Amino acid sequence: MPIEIRTASTASEAAGLLAGDRQARLLSGGTLLMRDLNEGRLTDGVLVRLTDPAYRQIGVSGSRVELGAGVTMAMILKRRELACLHGAARAIGGPAVRNMATVGGNLFAETPYGDFTVALLALDAQVMVLQGYGAPRAVGLEEFLAGRGRASSGLVTAVQVTLPQNPLDLRFRKVSRVRPKGIAVLSIAALLPTSGGRVTGARVAYGAMAPTPIRAKAVERALDGKALDAATIAAVRAVATEGTRPATDAVASDWYRREVLPVHLARLLSGQE
Amino acid sequence: MAKVPVQFRLNGSDRAAFVAPADNLLTLLRRGLNEFGPKYGCGQGTCGTCTVLIDGELQLSCLTLAATCEGRHVETVSGMANGPTLHPIQQAFMEHFAAQCGFCTPGMLTAARALLEANPTPSREEVIDGISGNICRCTGYEAIIEAILAAARSGQVRRA
Ligand SMILES: Cc1cc2nc3c(=O)[nH]c(=O)nc-3n(C[C@H](O)[C@H](O)[C@H](O)COP(=O)(O)OP(=O)(O)OC[C@H]3O[C@@H](n4cnc5c(N)ncnc54)[C@H](O)[C@@H]3O)c2cc1C
Ligand code: FES
Ligand code: FES
């Protein structure tokens, strides 16, 4: 069966199409899927388009934010309330790619892509997943990423996050060899809320350091309850690579990624450029 | 393979064609409609020479499914000049030697147009970001950046 395009006007219709056919794939921004088509890696099956305006909506109520999975990086960059996510959104491709690349697609992007997802992971995002008909179910992003790639992850309708009270509490850095736009050697997002001069409830996430974005739990433990001083940063450096499994690809070797990660993490934490 | 019909506007004129469901917009433009302004460089979104505007927004035609352009307005580099009168950005590219082989030029001009129509007085950094999705193998970019800044200074590019 060659490629067939089906247009769904509601999320449940799209989820139904995906559930009824294991080969069916959702076409979101298409920046990854179209490559597969152009290069002949994808020759058969149904492509599902979702035209429901809710799929591309941004809902902000106080610090609670719901990003429709079809929201693009450019749409995020236009919203001031989402300033803490701007660094991660701007890190993706050039302006044309940012007009096309969606939040939902980024959750599925294979390493070393997935820079936006790294920021979402530091924010403890919930992924709203619709399997077949019914109502979407909230799945923690960490769990979602762990199950990614296994048979049919359903339709992602949206992602929910709570923004930090101080937008500067979320720090993001993407390291690439080509500027201003280049594929990640690695990326790091760190949520560092402080109270009384001490970090409380740190969440740190890495991109391109494992098959999916991962949390740096040893780093979080080394930060919690501590002041962000030289001693803490030294302790963080010592455990920075714990749990990482980076790949060797055209951008960097696994060895190089592990070598430079502690350096960039220390710079991010100490506020150095 | 069953073809699907698609109707859209191309540089202000109504067009209709039949496309294979897997065809991208670049293939439709070049093979289906003899619109050779956008070039095929990579088919992967990396080079930017296929860049077009869709409903006024910068997009990559090689990564756009042709069938999804139904009812939309696609603008290519070919729509920039007004008869024999070059667009101010094209004029600036000529005056600043911003094209050598010219293969990147359709994408560069389109990206520059989108940038200046949204932001008529960009900084140098903003110009660099504006063309960061477009690869040029010849000029070393300096001449292109200069041309775009000169077009901005000319004040002739109107906000869209
Ligand atoms: C030139 C270029 C540069 C790039 N640079 C970067 C970069 O720097 N960083 C980065 O992270 N990425 C980068 N990317 C990759 C890509 O653009 C982004 O990861 C983007 O966010 C993917 O989203 P999309 O909407 O285009 O995905 P699509 O191509 O539409 O989809 C990708 C996959 O996810 C599935 N999918 C998408 N949405 C859903 C959903 N809602 N529910 C279920 N399944 C879904 C699709 O079926 C498909 O299998 C780049 C791409 C290009 C072409
Ligand atoms: S041909 Fe589309 S970006 Fe290269
Ligand atoms: S002028 Fe040759 S690629 Fe730019």
Side-chain angles (χ1 to χ4, degrees), chain B residues 27-42:
Chain B
T27 304
L28 165 61
L29 292 173
R30 293 182 60 85
R31 297 218 190 119
L33 298 170
N34 289 346
E35 163 43 23
F36 296 116
K39 303 279 178 278
Y40 175 86
C42 64

Side-chain angles (χ1 to χ4, degrees), chain B residues 98-105 108 135-141 144:
Chain B
Q100 286 184 25
C101 80
F103 201 79
C104 69
T105 312
M108 289 289 183
I135 291 174
C136 176
R137 303 161 303 169
C138 307
T139 64
Y141 301 100
I144 296 175

Side-chain angles (χ1 to χ4, degrees), chain A residues 18 25-35 55 69 73 91-93 97 100-106 108-109 112-116 154-157 174 181-183, chain B residues 44-46 60 63:
Chain A
L18 293 176
R25 289 171 78 183
L26 191 86
L27 177 72
S28 196
T31 58
L32 293 168
L33 204 53
M34 286 302 293
R35 286 181 170 183
Y55 185 64
M73 300 301 143
I92 289 168
V97 168
M100 305 173 80
T102 68
V103 171
N106 204 260
F108 293 89
Y113 286 151
D115 299 306
F116 192 76
L155 172 74
V156 175
T157 59
K174 173 178 171 182
K181 182 200 86 148
I183 298 174
Chain B
Q44 297 191 337
T46 7
L60 296 165
L63 297 185

Side-chain angles (χ1 to χ4, degrees), chain B residues 12-30:
Chain B
S13 316
D14 290 326
R15 306 299 288 265
F18 285 94
V19 297
D23 279 354
N24 63 48
L25 173 60
L26 182 62
T27 304
L28 165 61
L29 292 173
R30 293 182 60 85

Side-chain angles (χ1 to χ4, degrees), chain A residues 59-271:
Chain A
V60 182
S61 80
S63 62
R64 294 289 305 158
V65 170
E66 176 160 300
L67 303 172
V71 166
T72 64
M73 300 301 143
M75 289 163 74
I76 289 168
L77 287 167
K78 286 193 186 120
R79 295 289 290 259
R80 281 208 188 152
E81 313 94 292
L82 304 181
C84 72
L85 290 171
H86 285 185
R90 208 176 294 113
I92 289 168
V97 168
R98 293 198 292 266
N99 282 338
M100 305 173 80
T102 68
V103 171
N106 204 260
L107 300 179
F108 293 89
E110 283 180 24
T111 186
Y113 286 151
D115 299 306
F116 192 76
T117 304
V118 176
L120 292 177
L121 190 54
L123 288 178
D124 198 12
Q126 299 289 305
V127 184
M128 304 305 290
V129 180
L130 188 53
Q131 298 270 12
Y133 294 91
R137 186 169 60 92
V139 181
L141 178 53
E142 217 177 341
E143 186 190 332
F144 176 87
L145 291 170
R148 190 179 82 179
R150 275 193 243 126
S152 101
S153 21
L155 172 74
V156 175
T157 59
V159 170
Q160 296 179 344
V161 289
T162 305
L163 299 178
Q165 296 211 316
N166 176 354
L168 299 178
D169 283 351
L170 182 69
R171 301 190 193 175
F172 178 83
R173 167 179 295 230
K174 173 178 171 182
V175 181
S176 54
R177 298 189 193 241
V178 181
R179 289 196 186 175
K181 182 200 86 148
I183 298 174
V185 171
L186 57 90
S187 52
I188 310 171
L191 180 68
L192 304 167
T194 48
S195 96
R198 291 173 190 280
V199 178
T200 49
R203 277 183 73 99
V204 179
Y206 297 151
M209 291 305 299
T212 68
I214 52 165
R215 270 177 70 191
K217 291 187 182 163
V219 169
E220 294 171 359
R221 282 193 297 273
L223 285 168
D224 259 327
K226 306 276 168 36
L228 257 188
D229 55 18
T232 305
I233 291 173
V236 164
R237 278 186 76 137
V239 297
T241 58
E242 220 166 87
T244 61
R245 285 184 294 141
T248 293
D249 57 27
V251 179
S253 68
D254 61 335
W255 173 84
Y256 181 77
R257 287 191 158 103
R258 269 192 293 263
E259 281 301 300
V260 299
L261 171 68
V263 177
H264 290 292
L265 179 60
R267 287 185 190 161
L268 183 73
L269 296 178
S270 60

